[in-house]
Amino acid sequence: QVQLVESGGGLVQPGGSLRLSCAASGSIFGTYVMGWYRQAPGKQRELVAGITSGGSTNYADSVKGRFTISRDNAKNTVTLQMNSLKPEDTAVYYCNADSLRGYRFWGQGTQVTVSS
């Protein structure tokens, strides 16, 4: 019912910045709760940031103050601005959409590597 495609991942040095984008299609984007998750090797997938249709946000303690999630309903996109990146931020980042009926949709993921 909805397709999600992430972009913007890559290699960055510690202290640098990256901006991840998620483009959605096949749904009424503005009604979905959107989120960014990440998963490192040997670790469980964890919530990084979420944003409701009304614009309320929440962040993992590890990224609060460094990451910012936003959405543009007219363009059907959600963005994660990542600043002051640390090596421990290295992971595959996934875009997530939660519908009002309780369905969950995932993108294929984009690799973020923070290293010198």
Side-chain angles (χ1 to χ4, degrees):
Q1 296 184 42
V2 60
Q3 293 176 292
L4 305 173
V5 180
E6 303 98 333
S7 63
L11 174 66
V12 65
Q13 294 185 347
S17 298
L18 282 175
R19 181 177 297 167
L20 305 183
S21 295
C22 174
S25 62
S27 68
I28 304 175
F29 177 82
T31 67
Y32 286 82
V33 175
M34 303 297 299
W36 285 97
Y37 290 71
R38 68 186 181 187
Q39 187 169 26
K43 303 291 185 180
Q44 289 188 307
R45 189 173 298 185
E46 64 177 354
L47 175 67
V48 177
I51 184 168
T52 69
S53 60
S56 297
T57 60
N58 68 285
Y59 299 90
D61 289 341
S62 60
V63 307
K64 191 174 183 179
R66 300 187 297 121
F67 291 10
T68 303
I69 187 171
S70 61
R71 66 193 297 165
D72 187 335
N73 292 338
K75 296 181 178 180
N76 286 7
T77 58
V78 60
T79 299
L80 184 69
Q81 177 66 47
M82 305 185 294
N83 299 325
S84 302
L85 283 162
K86 305 174 181 179
E88 50 262 44
D89 295 318
T90 296
V92 177
Y93 284 70
Y94 297 90
C95 182
N96 163 256
D98 294 339
S99 78
L100 296 177
R101 298 177 63 183
Y103 296 103
R104 308 200 78 188
F105 304 93
W106 298 92
Q108 292 183 300
T110 184
Q111 177 70 48
V112 172
T113 302
V114 185
S115 176
S116 298

